[in-house]
Amino acid sequence: MENVLYLVIPCYNEEEVLPETSARLREKINELIGKKKIDARSRVIFVNDGSKDRTWELIEELHQKDKIFGGINLSRNRGHQNALLAGLMTVKDHADMVISMDADLQDDINAINEMVDKYLDGTDIVYGVRSNRQKDTFFKKITAEGFYKLMNGMGANTVFNHADYRLMSKRALEGLAQYGEVNLFLRGIVPMIGYSTDVVYYERGERFAGESKYPLGKMLSFAVEGVTSLSTRPIRMITGLGFFIFLISIGMLIYSLVRHFTGETIVGWTTLMVSVWAIGGLILLSLGVVGEYIGKIYLETKARPRFIIEQFLNDENE
Ligand code: UDP
Ligand code: MG
């Protein structure tokens, strides 16, 4: 096997974009095969993440018409990250390099050429990085950039402006396979694998059909997920805060004693109310954060399967 490239595309209710996406990707793969950069057994694999529309039927049709297309049908909707992992783990035994990307082709597929070139030069992981976000709405841009800042500030180190558009070599995928975590945040785990890495810049376009499956709410929970499954910095911050409050309380103790002995004690209703609320709030916040981690431990100890594959359509013959 030599330089076999597999593209992995998670799809959730993508019937509107699949015809166009598949046509463009076929063209791209054939171009690369023509240039002898990749093997003729390279494939495009769509992962159907429990779509409610005709996505899987479309994938089956594509597979029947052209063996360049394959499909993985998950037993139900498991979310983008799990769908992507299911795809990567399934194809890693068939490919030498795998590129993951979204079905809506917001990520410029011409960056694939450069990614493959870097792979051929010996790079194991090539990150696709957005050079600008002019096409995104102002709101999406601000929230998305805030997302990366928040993530890094909280100790979850990720590549800035990189989503899940990346090339990984077979051995990098073997590395990824050893991370058994259920709370999956791929773009945080991939940098932990190591090996040689590089980036490719591209311009992010608009979704050409259908609407975003990642509204603000999902993005926020994704950020919380990312932080709590990658780092324990929030716990440390709480410890720091607790220590700081403790110092203040010692100061207050001395202050009250001094006031008491100089006979200036006043009825401290205000102080009392304020402290009760402040401490109460802090305790609740801390409990929430601790609970967040306990929830994670609970899920990890159960070691539930991260995805279940109902069907894998793939034709490996040349
Ligand atoms: N997706 C998925 N499962 C989900 C939600 C989304 O597989 O539960 C896929 C979706 O089909 C697309 C990719 O994840 O290929 C990214 O979604 P989208 O383009 O809607 O996100 P955005 O680009 O708006 O952040
Ligand atoms: Mg998109």
Side-chain angles (χ1 to χ4, degrees):
M1 193 151 62
E2 245 177 59
N3 302 333
V4 175
L5 168 68
Y6 268 58
L7 295 184
V8 170
I9 327 261
C11 305
Y12 177 59
N13 295 345
E14 298 286 11
E15 63 178 7
E16 286 164 290
V17 305
L18 268 180
E20 176 72 22
T21 298
S22 54
R24 288 201 218 167
L25 291 176
R26 171 168 43 206
E27 203 178 310
K28 179 53 71 190
I29 294 285
N30 285 332
E31 172 201 324
L32 288 166
I33 292 175
K35 284 183 180 162
K36 301 235 177 330
K37 298 238 180 210
I38 57 173
D39 193 277
R41 286 163 300 166
S42 297
R43 296 286 177 263
V44 178
I45 305 289
F46 296 104
V47 183
N48 176 39
D49 185 18
S51 301
K52 296 187 188 73
D53 63 2
R54 294 191 61 253
T55 300
W56 180 246
E57 283 78 15
L58 288 179
I59 296 171
E60 281 177 319
E61 275 168 35
L62 285 167
H63 174 68
Q64 267 152 28
K65 283 193 206 129
D66 191 340
K67 64 175 188 259
I68 200 168
F69 299 114
I72 294 170
N73 196 18
L74 297 190
S75 58
R76 68 174 178 94
N77 180 257
R78 292 304 316 269
H80 177 229
Q81 296 290 294
N82 288 300
L84 187 52
L85 184 78
L88 295 177
M89 293 302 110
T90 309
V91 308
K92 76 174 167 36
D93 304 324
H94 306 269
D96 299 298
M97 56 184 134
V98 179
I99 294 179
S100 50
M101 62 191 308
D102 292 349
D104 54 12
L105 298 192
Q106 281 186 289
D107 305 309
D108 182 10
I109 63 168
N110 293 316
I112 292 177
N113 297 45
E114 228 180 301
M115 287 185 176
V116 170
D117 284 342
K118 295 205 183 222
Y119 167 82
L120 296 175
D121 288 343
T123 310
D124 282 275
I125 302 173
V126 186
Y127 299 102
V129 173
R130 293 164 197 167
S131 55
N132 72 19
R133 282 182 171 267
Q134 275 160 9
K135 299 263 173 59
D136 273 354
T137 60
F138 180 71
F139 183 70
K140 178 93 190 174
K141 187 167 147 172
I142 292 289
T143 51
E145 285 185 354
F147 173 85
Y148 291 101
K149 300 223 168 91
L150 173 75
M151 296 286 305
N152 285 305
M154 296 295 243
N157 294 319
T158 50
V159 178
F160 189 69
N161 264 343
H162 159 71
D164 283 302
Y165 185 24
R166 72 176 88 78
L167 177 145
M168 292 177 77
S169 68
K170 192 193 207 71
R171 65 172 184 173
L173 287 169
E174 299 290 359
L176 179 64
Q178 292 178 45
Y179 287 79
E181 41 206 283
V182 177
N183 298 289
L184 201 58
F185 190 72
L186 286 171
R187 61 188 93 157
I189 302 172
V190 174
M192 294 182 195
I193 298 172
Y195 294 129
S196 54
T197 63
D198 208 336
V199 293
V200 161
Y201 293 94
Y202 67 91
E203 279 186 24
R204 180 159 163 100
E206 270 169 282
R207 187 176 245 282
F208 63 83
E211 54 195 39
S212 173
K213 274 87 190 162
Y214 256 109
L216 181 66
K218 257 196 193 176
M219 204 151 81
L220 279 179
S221 73
F222 192 46
V224 173
E225 184 77 6
V227 170
T228 52
S229 56
L230 289 177
S231 92
T232 46
R233 193 174 289 179
I235 292 187
R236 208 125 344 117
M237 283 163 66
I238 297 246
T239 316
L241 190 66
F243 187 67
F244 180 68
I245 301 277
F246 175 67
L247 287 184
I248 292 182
S249 73
I250 291 179
M252 287 303 281
L253 184 78
I254 296 171
Y255 175 73
S256 338
L257 284 178
V258 169
R259 297 278 294 215
H260 179 77
F261 286 116
T262 51
E264 289 176 75
T265 332
I266 42 153
V267 189
W269 187 81
T270 319
T271 346
L272 204 64
M273 285 313 273
V274 169
S275 22
V276 165
W277 281 98
I279 299 295
L282 277 176
I283 290 175
L284 282 183
L285 176 74
S286 319
L287 269 182
V289 175
V290 172
E292 187 73 27
Y293 283 94
I294 293 178
K296 292 249 137 78
I297 295 168
Y298 169 73
L299 289 175
E300 295 293 350
T301 51
K302 279 190 181 282
R304 289 174 178 151
R306 294 177 288 180
F307 51 83
I308 294 172
I309 291 169
E310 191 176 318
Q311 205 179 348
F312 178 35
L313 296 176
N314 190 28
D315 183 347
E316 281 200 89
N317 302 317
E318 210 163 310

